[in-house]
């Protein structure tokens, strides 16, 4: 069984963060481990509180995992402090972690800010260069590239800038675009579009967490990056089509909806 580690914040309502990652990893038949970077009080309506985990305790969690159960892939999500970024980066380097997929989470869908400028700057300097793949959405791609992203051409340019700067592949997610839900993968100087029809489903809580975790699972299996992205997108599209309705806001996904299907 492939071992996949998620490093992220906890979502007590189960729709995003650590909980979404673990469900996704299990749905892909892998063994999930988790290092918690923050506790959040949230539900489908938004986030009402965040409690950061001390950076040295994050280190303790990471050391416990890597010293005994080294993962074949690592997914990274919400990180709230400069100190946490440095600790995570140093441990990943020390244990020569591979297949690192970073969901460049800066803000929640409901508008809560996760990363201040100092934390983002530290992530750019120490963490993002370790990535196999970065998965920014449109606003995050604008923040990382420094250019506005309004159409396919600017998505390509932003992905190129980010990839060249951090020396890794970039999946620029098009979910914020109105006309389509197409994603762009840029790596090794080449671009590939992944086209999917937009699913008319308002319940999208945790989609970014889910996609990045699914990609990490496929990389742990030994898939090439483009194939891993393709299958991860197929998985996400499938569970969005399940139209799983919970809560009074933007509800979660049914991560186990495709357990009996070959995606």
């Amino acid at each position: 069984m492939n071992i996949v580690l998620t490093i992220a914040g906890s979502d007590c309502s189960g729709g995003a963060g650590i909980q979404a990652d673990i469900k996704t990893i299990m749905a892909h038949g892998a063994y999930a481990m988790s290092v918690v970077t923050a506790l959040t009080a949230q539900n489908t309506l938004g986030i009402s509180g965040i409690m950061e985990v001390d950076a040295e305790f994050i280190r303790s969690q990471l050391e416990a995992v890597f010293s005994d159960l080294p993962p074949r892939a690592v997914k990274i999500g919400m990180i709230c402090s400069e100190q946490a970024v440095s600790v995570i980066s140093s441990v990943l380097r020390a244990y020569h972690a591979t297949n690192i997929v970073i969901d460049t989470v800066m803000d929640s869908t409901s508008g809560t800010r996760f990363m201040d400028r100092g934390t983002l700057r530290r992530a750019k300097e120490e963490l993002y260069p370790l990535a196999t793949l970065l998965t920014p959405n449109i606003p995050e791609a604008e923040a990382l590239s420094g250019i506005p992203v309004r159409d396919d051409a600017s998505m390509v340019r932003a992905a190129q800038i980010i990839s060249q700067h951090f020396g890794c592949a970039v999946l620029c997610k098009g979910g914020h675009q109105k006309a389509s839900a197409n994603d762009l993968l840029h790596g090794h100087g080449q671009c590939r579009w992944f086209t999917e029809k937009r699913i008319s489903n308002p319940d999208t809580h945790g989609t970014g967490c889910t996609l990045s975790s699914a990609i990490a699972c496929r990389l742990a299996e030994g898939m090439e990056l483009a194939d891993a992205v393709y299958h991860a997108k197929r998985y996400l599209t499938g569970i969005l089509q399940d139209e799983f309705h919970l809560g009074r806001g933007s509800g979660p996904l049914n991560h186990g909806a495709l357990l009996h299907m070959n995606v």
Side-chain angles (χ1 to χ4, degrees), residues 37-38 50 52 78-82 84-85 113-116 119:
T37 60
I50 299 175
E52 296 178 22
M78 173 186 177
I79 307 175
C80 297
S81 72
E82 295 182 54
V85 169
R113 186 74 173 169
F114 291 144
M115 271 190 166
D116 60 25
T119 303

Side-chain angles (χ1 to χ4, degrees), residues 181-233:
N182 299 337
D183 297 343
L184 172 69
L185 176 64
H186 183 280
H188 305 294
Q190 297 181 334
C191 289
R192 175 175 171 180
W193 286 96
F194 294 85
T195 59
E196 290 283 355
K197 63 180 180 181
R198 180 173 290 280
I199 307 301
S200 181
N201 183 352
D203 297 316
T204 57
H205 185 53
T207 50
C209 308
T210 299
L211 180 64
S212 54
S213 293
I215 295 170
C217 289
R218 295 302 192 177
L219 291 176
E221 294 173 10
M223 278 191 184
E224 295 294 329
L225 180 58
D227 292 333
V229 172
Y230 170 79
H231 285 282
K233 278 186 65 67

Side-chain angles (χ1 to χ4, degrees), residues 119-133:
T119 303
L120 179 57
R121 182 175 61 251
R122 187 73 62 90
K124 289 179 178 179
E125 293 171 352
E126 299 180 12
L127 183 61
Y128 295 167
L130 302 179
T132 302
L133 177 70

Side-chain angles (χ1 to χ4, degrees), residues 23-254:
K23 294 173 188 178
T24 301
I25 294 166
M26 290 189 67
H28 283 77
Y31 181 78
M33 303 185 299
S34 62
V35 167
V36 180
T37 60
L39 305 177
T40 70
Q42 66 174 294
N43 54 28
T44 64
L45 299 173
I47 298 175
S48 58
I50 299 175
M51 178 183 294
E52 296 178 22
V53 174
D54 178 77
E56 286 308 308
F57 192 70
I58 293 175
R59 184 190 301 276
S60 296
Q61 294 179 76
L62 289 165
E63 292 284 355
V65 166
F66 276 97
S67 64
D68 185 39
L69 298 161
R72 296 195 64 179
V74 180
K75 175 267 168 87
I76 302 175
M78 173 186 177
I79 307 175
C80 297
S81 72
E82 295 182 54
Q83 295 80 5
V85 169
S86 293
V87 163
I88 293 167
S89 303
S90 65
V91 174
L92 293 178
R93 286 194 300 269
Y95 285 94
H96 307 289
T98 58
N99 294 325
I100 300 172
V101 180
I102 302 180
D103 186 13
T104 53
V105 181
M106 299 176 190
D107 303 282
S108 72
T109 303
S110 59
T112 300
R113 186 74 173 169
F114 291 144
M115 271 190 166
D116 60 25
R117 291 183 179 179
T119 303
L120 179 57
R121 182 175 61 251
R122 187 73 62 90
K124 289 179 178 179
E125 293 171 352
E126 299 180 12
L127 183 61
Y128 295 167
L130 302 179
T132 302
L133 177 70
L134 299 176
T135 65
N137 58 28
I138 295 297
E140 292 160 357
E142 292 179 333
L144 292 175
S145 67
I147 66 171
V149 178
R150 300 290 182 266
D151 51 25
D152 288 354
S154 55
M155 277 184 72
V156 170
R157 182 58 184 147
Q160 290 173 334
I161 292 171
I162 298 167
S163 179
Q164 291 169 2
H165 184 78
F166 297 111
C168 65
V170 176
L171 181 67
C172 190
K173 300 178 293 187
H176 282 74
Q177 304 225 59
K178 296 180 179 180
S180 69
N182 299 337
D183 297 343
L184 172 69
L185 176 64
H186 183 280
H188 305 294
Q190 297 181 334
C191 289
R192 175 175 171 180
W193 286 96
F194 294 85
T195 59
E196 290 283 355
K197 63 180 180 181
R198 180 173 290 280
I199 307 301
S200 181
N201 183 352
D203 297 316
T204 57
H205 185 53
T207 50
C209 308
T210 299
L211 180 64
S212 54
S213 293
I215 295 170
C217 289
R218 295 302 192 177
L219 291 176
E221 294 173 10
M223 278 191 184
E224 295 294 329
L225 180 58
D227 292 333
V229 172
Y230 170 79
H231 285 282
K233 278 186 65 67
R234 286 283 309 278
Y235 169 73
L236 180 59
T237 298
I239 60 177
L240 279 167
Q241 289 173 324
D242 188 67
E243 297 186 356
F244 185 62
H245 302 298
L246 287 179
R248 294 181 290 125
S250 178
L253 306 170
N254 182 5

